[in-house]
Amino acid sequence: MKVLVIGGGPAGSTAATAMAQAGLDVRLVESAHFPRYHVGESLTPSCRVVLDAIGMSKILDDHGFVKKNGGVIHWDDDQWTFDWQAQSGVQSWQVDRSEFDALLLEHARNNGVAVTTGVTGRSVRFADGRPVAVECSPDDGEPFTIDDFDFLVDATGRNGLLSARHFGNREPLNNLRNVGIWGYWTGATLLPETPTGGINIISSPEGWYWVIPMAGGRMSIGYVTTKDAFARDRHEHQSSDELYRHLIATSPTIAGLTAGAEFLGVTRVETDYSYIADQFCGPGYAIVGDAACFLDPLLSTGVHLALYSALTAAACVASVDRGEVDEAEALRFFEFAYRRAYMRLFALVTIMYERYLGKDGFFRTSDRLIGDEQSAQPDTDVSSRSFAEIIGGLSDLREAADSSTRVITDRLREEAVRAQLQVVHAPDSDGPDFTPVRGDPLSDAESADYRLVTSPRLGLERVRAARP
């Protein structure tokens, strides 16, 4: 089978590498020339599991990125630490995305993927419901068409070649219309209770801060707030740099962590980055990573969702190519697995933003989101274990590999509804719109027929007899 991947970020590079390693003929085109800057530096331990599967983890370990063991959250009056290395024996990394993305793309090339940079996919032509050609524009030269492929993977990120531009079915999440502003420092410190290399997440009355340790003694420090609050504050300051400095000084905790530190210059701003497409796949194509959906950066889910969707898509396509499963079944599994992961994180992020539950409420919600009945009982001690598993992306990988551990999808929907009702009844809240994640085809019965496997080869393994 010939596969065309449009986009060479983490989702595209990972999907392409995994499919090439499975013996498929893979071509990848990417609009940028790497290295190029990108935000999204704090990786979850699930990323290591995925990158282990394609032979990337040792490369990243040897590159010199900061090893991330966990983090500390100060949220309103609550404080807690999560340590994935201690709880699960898994580390991740804090990465410079320009270097990380370039390493992933080079790994794809080294595994036989035909990589071309400086080429933008402009439009897709369909015939009989399947993509048959992609119109491309190079940085220099004449536009051309790629039409010698059997399957298309859209990994075009926020540009959304299929979801945003072709189908026009990607919807913003109205309860997460936030703005992030950030910059880089040297000489800043972390909270003293932080696990080695860990992230700090610190709330404020109208938003929250991140503090991420980077290689070379740098810190990425950012602030996320609502669009309205950002517009008000921006109006009161002459520049983004001035606003950013004000926000750093406003938080006693962040001001303490940056005392005596040097700001390295450029202030960056990004807005309106939470959305979800009505569909993630169809005959002859799959949409992975940010091209399908993106969630607010509160729990550092972006690269997790990118790599998880990429590996799942690659497993599905590889099994279709080997005749182990038909395409419709494989794509149902992909849609199911990816959308469930997003829905679970969406429910948890939404509840955290509403703040009034407190950490015990977050932890009990997390128990229910992974079906941990014992921990969910009111007379048991409240533990952060389920919370850490979810934000680490480990629950998604576990459920994909073992259908018997999956919380029933209706339970996830119930938690989405529960979160919605709690938000609606919260003071001064209009409540979120859960419609995008509640109304899509998710079938526990069909998904339970398969599980994702990486050994002895990547693919879907049938665990129950074929349905009549």
Side-chain angles (χ1 to χ4, degrees):
M1 182 186 294
K2 289 187 175 182
V3 180
L4 174 62
V5 179
I6 307 294
S13 294
T14 299
T17 299
M19 289 186 290
Q21 290 174 343
L24 282 75
D25 182 353
V26 185
R27 179 179 183 180
L28 183 152
V29 297
E30 159 61 39
S31 59
H33 294 281
F34 286 25
R36 54 95 171 96
Y37 178 82
H38 204 287
V39 74
E41 299 141 337
S42 192
L43 306 191
T44 62
S46 65
C47 296
R48 173 176 284 275
V49 177
V50 173
L51 295 171
D52 274 344
I54 63 169
M56 269 297 297
S57 289
K58 187 177 188 305
I59 295 172
L60 299 177
D61 283 338
D62 293 344
H63 187 75
F65 293 128
V66 170
K67 303 287 179 59
K68 174 185 175 183
N69 286 337
V72 175
I73 297 178
H74 286 192
W75 204 254
D76 294 336
D77 295 329
D78 290 321
Q79 301 178 13
W80 68 95
T81 299
F82 54 96
D83 190 329
W84 292 309
Q85 175 67 15
Q87 291 174 316
S88 306
V90 182
Q91 286 181 317
S92 60
W93 306 270
Q94 315 278 20
V95 301
D96 286 274
R97 282 290 301 276
S98 60
E99 300 172 24
F100 174 72
D101 292 8
L103 288 169
L104 282 178
L105 189 61
E106 184 62 22
H107 191 60
R109 185 181 283 113
N110 291 340
N111 277 272
V113 178
V115 175
T116 305
T117 58
V119 173
T120 301
R122 296 293 184 188
S123 62
V124 182
R125 188 166 70 246
F126 281 71
D128 298 324
R130 297 181 69 88
V132 295
V134 177
E135 307 298 332
C136 298
S137 297
D139 284 351
D140 49 18
E142 296 296 318
F144 61 93
T145 300
I146 303 176
D147 58 9
D148 59 338
F149 60 88
D150 304 299
F151 195 91
L152 176 66
V153 175
D154 178 3
T156 54
R158 289 187 64 174
N159 289 331
L161 179 60
L162 286 177
S163 59
R165 300 181 63 182
H166 184 83
F167 296 121
N169 64 4
R170 205 167 69 183
E171 298 294 333
L173 301 178
N174 293 327
N175 63 310
L176 295 174
R177 297 178 70 82
N178 295 331
V179 179
I181 181 169
W182 70 96
Y184 297 87
W185 299 71
T186 58
T189 58
L190 293 166
L191 294 167
E193 66 270 33
T194 307
T196 303
I199 188 174
N200 292 169
I201 297 173
I202 300 157
S203 71
S204 75
E206 293 187 303
W208 60 277
Y209 296 84
W210 76 70
V211 184
I212 299 172
M214 310 286 288
R218 292 168 298 125
M219 291 280 187
S220 171
I221 302 180
Y223 178 71
V224 177
T225 189
T226 66
K227 284 186 66 176
D228 290 344
F230 182 85
R232 179 202 65 213
D233 291 345
R234 180 65 182 85
H235 180 72
E236 296 173 355
H237 295 83
Q238 293 185 353
S239 67
S240 295
D241 280 351
E242 183 182 302
L243 170 59
Y244 179 67
R245 292 278 199 171
H246 166 76
L247 292 167
I248 294 296
T250 297
S251 166
T253 302
I254 299 299
L257 296 180
T258 56
E262 178 186 358
F263 178 51
L264 296 179
V266 178
T267 296
R268 301 175 183 270
V269 178
E270 191 165 338
T271 185
D272 286 348
Y273 36 61
S274 294
Y275 53 80
I276 185 169
D278 289 347
Q279 62 191 67
F280 292 169
C281 57
Y285 70 89
I287 308 173
V288 298
D290 293 357
C293 57
F294 187 76
L295 189 58
D296 184 273
L298 175 57
L299 299 180
S300 302
T301 58
V303 180
H304 158 63
L305 290 171
L307 299 191
Y308 176 66
S309 62
L311 187 71
T312 305
C316 292
V317 175
S319 278
V320 171
D321 182 59
R322 294 192 294 261
E324 297 165 348
V325 58
D326 68 44
E327 183 182 87
E329 289 177 298
L331 292 179
R332 277 197 297 271
F333 181 89
F334 171 74
E335 180 91 24
F336 173 89
Y338 193 11
R339 198 168 292 276
R340 277 172 57 91
Y342 187 91
M343 182 162 59
R344 177 163 27 221
L345 290 165
F346 181 31
L348 189 55
V349 165
T350 295
I351 289 173
M352 286 193 67
Y353 265 115
E354 291 308 313
R355 300 176 180 275
Y356 57 87
L357 282 182
K359 71 174 182 180
D360 286 358
F362 304 151
F363 297 165
R364 291 200 184 281
T365 297
S366 300
D367 290 339
R368 292 191 296 269
L369 287 169
I370 66 170
D372 191 337
E373 300 290 349
Q374 182 174 356
S375 295
Q377 296 303 313
D379 58 345
T380 61
D381 292 335
V382 179
S383 166
S384 65
R385 180 172 53 84
S386 297
F387 178 88
E389 181 180 324
I390 292 173
I391 68 171
L394 299 173
S395 53
D396 299 327
L397 290 169
R398 171 178 51 76
E399 289 187 355
D402 184 356
S403 62
S404 69
T405 70
R406 295 175 196 155
V407 61
I408 302 300
T409 299
D410 283 345
R411 289 285 303 278
L412 289 182
R413 288 196 181 101
E414 289 170 7
E415 284 308 309
V417 173
R418 183 197 301 265
Q420 185 175 25
L421 291 175
Q422 288 173 326
V423 171
V424 167
H425 290 104
D428 303 320
S429 176
D430 294 328
D433 177 11
F434 276 90
T435 304
V437 291
R438 290 182 59 199
D440 289 280
L442 297 173
S443 171
D444 292 292
E446 291 174 344
S447 74
D449 294 346
Y450 300 97
R451 68 186 189 102
L452 187 151
V453 296
T454 58
S455 178
R457 59 186 182 181
L458 180 67
L460 295 185
E461 180 180 89
R462 187 180 292 277
V463 295
R464 295 200 305 207
R467 294 169 183 271

